[in-house]
Structure formats: C-alpha cells, structure tokens
Amino acid sequence: MDLHPTEDQRMLQDAARRYLAERHPPAAARAAAVRPRQARTEQWREIAGQGWPALLAPASHDGLGLGMREAWIVAEAAGRHLLSLPLAANMAVLPTLCEAGAGRPAAQWAAAMMAGDTYFADAALRPDGSAFVEGAGEGVRALALRRTGAATLRLELHAPVAGEAGLDPTMPVAQVRSPAVLESADLEVAPGTWEQLRTRLLLLRCAELLGAASAALDAAAAYARERRQFDRAIGANQAIKHRLADDWMALDDARLAGVAAVAAHDAAAPSAQRDSLFAPVLAVEAGRRAAQNAVQVHGALGVTWECDAHLYLKRVLRLAACLQAEAPRSDLLERIWEGGDGERAA
C-alpha cells in the first residue's frame, strides 16, 4: 500500500492551507462565538465552491467521488487553521445523505450542503435524550443520526440554538436538554453503513486534531528559535529541543497511522476496521502532549489571550474529548488486542 501523497493530493493540501491562511486567520477563530451569521454562511459558500464538503459524495450524486485520503488532507488543514465551521462532520455524513434517493428530505439536505446554501451543526445524541451540538449558531440547524436497526438509520433535523464558547473558543457549541425536531427521515441503508459513517467521522476528527497539534508544535519551534536567554536561543537547550523533537516524532507516527487507516478504508481492505483503531489512540496521546508542551515552551506568554498556543491546546482537548466519548482508549486497546488474537488464530 503506497502511503506517499500523489501530485493531486499535494496540490489539494497546498490549496487548502493557502485558502484557510488567507480567509480564516486567527482573528476569525478567536471571534467564532460572536461571528455574524452572514460571515459564516459566506465562508461555507466559499468552502463549498472549493468542493470540500462533497469530497466523499459519489459522482453519481454530483459529488467529487474522492476518498478518505483527500478528506483527511482537508480536515487536517482545517484543524491547523482552527476552522470554526463543522466541516469534518458535514463531510462524513454527506455520503449517507446521498443514499436517501431523489426527492427524499435527506437528499435535499445533501444538495443544499453541496451547493453552499447551508451547513449543519453536528448533534451528538446522549442516552438521556439531550444533545451536544458542535458548530451551533443563529440560523444553523443541527443534524443528528441514530441507528434504529441493522440496516436502518434515523436522521433528525434540530432547530437552531445559540452557540457559545465552551472549552474551545474557536468552535461555538451548545448543550440542549430537549432538542426541537423540525423534520426527521428514516433511511434504509446497506449493512455496515453506520459503522462506516462513524469510522469516517472518527478518522476526520483525528486529522483535525493532528492539524491543530502540528500548528502548536510549529509555533513552539518558531518561538524557541526567536526567544533568547543568556545570549542564545532557548531552542538550543536540550530540555526544549529534545522535547520538541519527541513531539514531532509522536505526531508523525500518529499521522502515518491515520494515513494508513484512510488508505485501507479507501481500498476496502479486510484490515480497514482494525487499522482505524490505532489512529485515535496515537493522535490523542501525541496531540495532547505536543499542544501542552507548546504552551510550556512559550512560558508565561503561552497562557495569555494574545498567544495562539492556548487556542491550539483547547482545540486539541475538545477533539480528544469527542474521540474518547465515542471510543474510550481502554476500549480501543481491547479491540486492537482482540483483533490481533483473531489474526494470530487464523
């Protein structure tokens, strides 16, 4: 399996980073919770014009028909630039919406999303009936999915709720005790669709987390080269440069695990499900450490509002919490171990 990016994938990465650097600067991330609805809608329209939400949608439904490898590249760039729109969740769910068939509400939602007319906040349903909404805001409806059978899903469109700055001020969120359902739809899907959808979202969140952690590491390395004490850069001290090197290696290991997982997913390899378990384990551990160390390298400056290091840390911590809520580390390790036993027994 070739894990090296193709020329087209390198061009996609360059284009994504360039666009986000120009159109979503740190100032936009800082003001995410109070950003006007018109500005958010206009940015989504621009993103849809780039084709990013439709990367995984089949070409037969006007999507780009590309793979998770391309979606990973865009999600990582979104994390690196602290994009305050729920792009990863919309990319992950769009192929499932396209399966609804022409004329169905879900298909209409998919068409509106790809056209840039709207995007959906991601509503994670809890056992008590409440929901945690990522990307909440004025006029932004939330989309929730639940499995109702081996080959059936229910989609619920929730009423907009005001977003606020939670742990991560760069992504407005909301907690809703009793979501108001505007519309719902039941879908008959192929067996395994639910697992595939959750795997897509898990891997794209890993990519976003690694993007934010890598940006934090880059900022720390730049600061270590510039900040001088005792007439030399602090990065010359082993206590700092070795820590930054260790963080780079850990992030690279996690990124390689994620790229291998999305490549296996695209190839429909028998090991795809098991491969997807390694990425969140490594990404959460490496991402947290790199972002926390970035704050430490900046010293007292790292905990000030003016320094971006704490923003990367908060994005990493929120995504890590989302990943662990979906699949705790202990469960992932147990599933990896059981998969290994199965392979040895075979």
Side-chain angles (χ1 to χ4, degrees):
M1 185 181 297
D2 185 6
L3 300 184
H4 293 89
T6 65
E7 185 61 29
D8 287 344
Q9 289 166 352
R10 290 194 188 94
M11 292 174 62
L12 175 63
Q13 182 182 62
D14 291 343
R17 290 187 178 184
R18 185 169 57 252
Y19 168 81
L20 290 168
E22 294 175 357
R23 299 291 294 142
H24 198 275
R30 290 172 178 273
V34 295
R35 201 175 182 198
R37 175 185 178 184
Q38 183 178 358
R40 288 185 279 111
T41 302
E42 180 59 32
Q43 182 138 58
W44 181 263
R45 187 171 291 112
E46 292 179 4
I47 286 174
Q50 303 276 346
W52 297 347
L55 280 172
L56 298 174
S60 58
H61 290 82
D62 297 327
L64 297 186
L66 297 176
M68 279 292 292
R69 185 71 181 276
E70 287 77 14
W72 173 282
I73 289 170
V74 171
E76 188 173 2
R80 175 175 285 274
H81 294 278
L82 300 174
L83 182 65
S84 55
L85 296 172
L87 177 61
N90 280 257
M91 282 197 296
V93 77
L94 187 56
T96 302
L97 298 182
C98 290
E99 293 182 17
R104 301 286 298 277
Q108 296 170 3
W109 303 340
M113 187 194 303
M114 287 191 288
D117 296 333
T118 190
Y119 67 91
F120 300 104
D122 178 47
L125 298 175
R126 294 170 171 166
D128 62 358
S130 64
F132 179 79
V133 183
E134 175 194 68
E138 178 190 359
V140 182
R141 297 168 297 174
L143 188 61
L145 285 83
R146 69 177 79 202
R147 179 168 55 178
T148 55
T152 55
L153 302 178
R154 167 159 290 187
L155 284 69
E156 295 180 352
L157 197 60
H158 294 174
V161 292
E164 59 184 18
L167 169 65
D168 175 11
T170 68
M171 177 65 75
V173 297
Q175 297 188 58
V176 187
R177 180 171 297 179
S178 299
V181 180
L182 300 176
E183 197 171 358
S184 63
D186 293 312
L187 298 184
E188 292 186 6
V189 295
T193 296
W194 173 257
E195 289 76 12
Q196 187 180 43
L197 189 157
R198 301 313 300 176
T199 298
R200 284 198 300 263
L201 183 56
L202 179 142
L203 291 174
L204 293 181
R205 288 201 189 282
C206 288
E208 190 178 349
L209 186 154
L210 290 174
S214 296
L217 176 60
D218 290 346
Y223 184 77
R225 289 191 294 267
E226 296 172 1
R227 181 74 168 93
R228 301 184 69 83
Q229 287 185 344
F230 305 109
D231 202 30
R232 70 173 185 173
I234 63 173
N237 298 317
Q238 290 186 0
I240 291 180
K241 67 181 179 182
H242 286 185
R243 179 181 296 181
L244 294 177
D246 288 344
D247 290 342
W248 183 90
M249 292 174 64
L251 290 175
D252 193 53
D253 287 344
R255 184 175 292 105
L256 287 173
V259 170
V262 297
H265 186 280
D266 288 340
S271 63
Q273 193 64 32
R274 182 170 179 266
D275 290 347
S276 68
L277 304 178
F278 292 93
V281 172
L282 296 175
V284 168
E285 181 177 352
R288 276 178 171 171
R289 189 174 68 190
Q292 289 167 348
N293 285 342
V295 173
Q296 292 295 322
V297 168
H298 281 83
L301 178 64
V303 296
T304 63
W305 180 249
E306 290 76 13
C307 181
D308 291 339
H310 78 284
L311 296 177
Y312 296 122
L313 173 61
K314 291 171 181 177
R315 173 63 66 100
V316 167
L317 292 178
R318 180 182 63 79
L319 290 170
C322 290
L323 288 170
Q324 292 188 321
E326 178 73 17
R329 176 186 173 86
S330 58
D331 290 355
L332 289 171
L333 292 175
E334 183 176 357
R335 289 165 61 188
I336 290 172
W337 176 255
E338 290 175 348
D341 284 345
E343 289 180 2
R344 286 194 293 271

